Amino acid sequence: MVEGDPSYIDYEAFLDPDFSPSSFANTLVTSTNNATDTPLDLSTPLSRVLFDLQEIDTHIHALTTRSALPLLSHTQSQTAAADNILKESGTQIASVTQGYERLQKEVVQKWEAADKARVAAENSLETVRLARAVARCLTLGRQLESQVSEITGRGPTPSSGPDGATSPGKDGFRALERAAYTILNLREMFSATTQGDEGYGLDRVKAIRTLRGEFVIPAENMVKSRAQQTISRFSLSSNSASANSQSSMPSGYKQARDARARLATAAITLYLLSPLPKGASTAADYKPELLLSTLQGFMHTAIMTSVNALARALTQLPIMNQTLADTSARCQDIVALESILKNIRPPPHPLLASTATSDEPAPESQTAASNKYNLLQPLLQALDTTSLPSYYWRSLASSLAPRVQDIVNRGGVSSRTLRSNRDRLRVEIKECVLRASQVSATSLLAEKGRPGTDTIVVGNWEREAAVMVSSIVGSLGR
């Protein structure tokens, strides 16, 4: 319908969004019938609806007839515009396609080739790194093999003894520390778990697995065993005694110096090879369990040997003098052990971050710093004591007291002999403890590079002497 043409049809009602056909039909039926009529006349409303539809159709036909040319012209212009857009789009699509093909040829294909080259280069780099790590492991393995040969005395140039004969392995202890560092370097490479670290992927190489399982681990166990044997067999009293019996102080001094060097090297070796506890990343958090257990074993062996010897001597008084001399000698070894450990600073550990310390500590803190950074301090903490000789005598006294009480309770000849000789025992035991404090200067001065011909009194052990006397004589009564 053209705007302005008259029409009786209410187009606004039909165009209303709320228009309801059922409501419109009901209104049309009720407007053409009475509500009381039976039946209802539906022909009239139907005729009106048909007439309205015919009228609307007529208007649509008239409208399309009058507007045919404008509609065709508009449709033609729209079609032409669409054709123009399609043509232009085709040109642009062809240009984009050509650009993509050129891009694929000049960039994508080259990038794919470059990516393949990158992957090949990365694989080559990993291969080179792995090959270098394997080569370094084999080099370290050869180095460790040479050091093991030096330790066991199977090297090409064994040491010569005083009489000119060869003495294999005599000076092999000097290679223990170097072997420990070599083992740590190998251990660091074997434990690499992050890609890019030296040694990553070594577990995939059969030769390295063979090297580790058949040589490195047995060599590490051998080095640990040699170091532990060196500590467990440490003794300066026998060296000094043999030197004094031969009146050869230079020889005694050399033996004491060598014994100290062996012990220091063994202690450093066990310090380095002790297992790293989880979470320990600095030297301050590190506890050398292997070294501590070996030193504690040395102390325990010395104490139990002395306890058993003294317990036997208490039932056989004729051997008491020799037993007390041996007991004093063991204590002198412990004094020397304490002196050596006190002068050994913890070596740098390749697998731990070093603890920064001042090179020149203040005068008031200098003593504390020197006591803290040595290998003696961890042992004292483990034994809960402030002195190894004091720990030796007090442990000896606590173990002997029940032995003496048992002899007294059994009675018999041994008990009567002890009671009758208690004054003599009191004097001899006190002299034994005090004699142990008089250490040969040869053993204490060996580390300073000069021999000594006299004795040096180490500490004041009157209290330890009283404890020992009380543990033995105290149970004998008066």
Side-chain angles (χ1 to χ4, degrees):
M1 176 180 177
V2 180
E3 186 178 359
D5 290 346
S7 176
Y8 70 92
I9 298 176
D10 187 7
Y11 289 101
E12 298 295 335
F14 289 107
L15 296 176
D16 189 356
D18 296 331
F19 174 78
S20 174
S22 58
S23 299
F24 176 78
N26 183 61
T27 302
L28 188 60
V29 170
T30 55
S31 63
T32 57
N33 291 276
N34 291 325
T36 58
D37 291 345
T38 304
L40 294 175
D41 181 14
L42 298 179
S43 59
T44 303
L46 181 59
S47 298
R48 183 173 175 178
V49 170
L50 292 175
F51 183 80
D52 290 345
L53 290 175
Q54 185 178 3
E55 180 69 15
I56 293 173
D57 182 67
T58 301
H59 280 292
I60 292 175
H61 180 73
L63 181 62
T64 54
T65 300
R66 287 196 302 266
S67 303
L69 292 177
L71 289 173
L72 290 174
S73 177
H74 177 73
T75 303
Q76 186 178 7
S77 63
Q78 292 294 323
T79 303
D83 291 340
N84 188 25
I85 292 174
L86 181 61
K87 182 179 179 180
E88 293 295 330
S89 298
T91 304
Q92 295 296 327
I93 291 173
S95 176
V96 171
T97 302
Q98 292 177 358
Y100 174 76
E101 292 176 352
R102 186 175 65 255
L103 180 66
Q104 185 178 23
K105 181 179 180 180
E106 296 180 356
V107 178
V108 176
Q109 293 179 357
K110 291 183 179 180
W111 178 86
E112 291 175 352
D115 188 61
K116 293 180 181 179
R118 177 187 62 82
V119 173
E122 288 180 351
N123 293 336
S124 300
L125 179 60
E126 288 298 323
T127 304
V128 170
R129 286 178 177 174
L130 187 59
R132 287 178 178 176
V134 170
R136 184 163 185 262
C137 278
L138 294 177
T139 302
L140 290 173
R142 290 178 179 272
Q143 180 177 324
L144 182 60
E145 182 182 19
S146 174
Q147 292 162 349
V148 168
S149 298
E150 185 178 349
I151 293 171
T152 57
R154 299 175 183 175
T157 56
S159 303
S160 298
D163 56 353
T166 59
S167 55
K170 181 180 179 181
D171 294 331
F173 73 93
R174 303 182 189 279
L176 285 175
E177 185 177 348
R178 288 184 278 116
Y181 277 108
T182 304
I183 292 171
L184 287 181
N185 290 331
L186 286 167
R187 186 187 296 177
E188 182 179 13
M189 295 189 69
F190 292 150
S191 61
T193 56
T194 304
Q195 188 172 7
D197 291 345
E198 185 182 16
Y200 177 77
L202 281 175
D203 54 339
R204 296 175 293 174
V205 182
K206 183 179 179 180
I208 299 302
R209 294 198 302 268
T210 304
L211 174 69
R212 182 180 184 183
E214 298 184 5
F215 177 69
V216 175
I217 294 178
E220 180 178 354
N221 294 334
M222 187 276 295
V223 170
K224 291 179 182 178
S225 176
R226 286 299 179 95
Q228 289 173 327
Q229 289 177 7
T230 300
I231 291 179
S232 62
R233 297 174 182 176
F234 170 73
S235 177
L236 289 181
S237 56
S238 59
N239 294 334
S240 299
S242 62
N244 292 334
S245 63
Q246 299 172 4
S247 300
S248 175
M249 284 311 301
S251 175
Y253 161 71
K254 182 178 183 303
Q255 291 175 351
R257 184 185 61 187
D258 290 345
R260 281 179 166 272
R262 285 189 178 89
L263 179 66
T265 302
I268 292 175
T269 300
L270 294 179
Y271 175 89
L272 293 172
L273 295 182
S274 295
L276 289 178
K278 293 183 178 180
S281 58
T282 62
D285 302 328
Y286 178 55
K287 291 185 179 180
E289 296 295 340
L290 186 59
L291 173 62
L292 294 180
S293 63
T294 304
L295 292 173
Q296 287 175 314
F298 175 84
M299 294 293 297
H300 178 74
T301 300
I303 292 170
M304 294 310 300
T305 302
S306 299
V307 168
N308 294 331
L310 286 173
R312 185 171 59 254
L314 288 174
T315 60
Q316 303 175 22
L317 286 183
I319 64 172
M320 178 60 74
N321 288 335
Q322 182 60 39
T323 302
L324 291 176
D326 294 340
T327 303
S328 297
R330 292 190 190 94
C331 183
Q332 290 175 352
D333 290 338
I334 292 175
V335 172
L337 174 68
E338 184 178 58
S339 174
I340 295 172
L341 294 177
K342 188 176 182 180
N343 288 280
I344 301 177
R345 295 175 62 87
H349 201 294
L351 305 183
L352 295 173
S354 60
T355 303
T357 57
S358 176
D359 294 334
E360 296 181 358
E364 60 270 13
S365 62
Q366 190 170 5
T367 302
S370 63
N371 291 335
K372 183 177 181 181
Y373 298 104
N374 57 55
L375 295 186
L376 175 64
Q377 197 63 28
L379 179 60
L380 296 179
Q381 293 176 356
L383 297 177
D384 192 19
T385 184
T386 58
S387 170
L388 294 185
S390 177
Y391 178 82
Y392 171 78
W393 289 119
R394 292 178 184 274
S395 299
L396 200 60
S398 63
S399 299
L400 277 175
R403 301 281 187 102
V404 176
Q405 188 64 45
D406 184 60
I407 295 174
V408 173
N409 292 338
R410 287 201 308 264
V413 178
S414 298
S415 176
R416 291 193 299 271
T417 304
L418 287 179
R419 291 180 185 276
S420 61
N421 289 274
R422 59 177 176 270
D423 293 334
R424 169 196 162 193
L425 287 175
R426 180 182 290 108
V427 174
E428 290 180 351
I429 293 171
K430 183 175 181 180
E431 289 179 352
C432 169
V433 177
L434 297 181
R435 183 168 61 249
S437 66
Q438 299 174 359
V439 183
S440 170
T442 299
S443 61
L444 288 182
L445 298 179
E447 66 182 11
K448 298 181 180 180
R450 63 178 188 274
T453 58
D454 52 0
T455 59
I456 298 176
V457 178
V458 180
N460 183 7
W461 294 354
E462 292 289 344
R463 183 174 298 178
E464 282 71 18
V467 171
M468 280 293 297
V469 171
S470 176
S471 67
I472 297 178
V473 182
S475 301
L476 300 178
R478 296 185 178 180

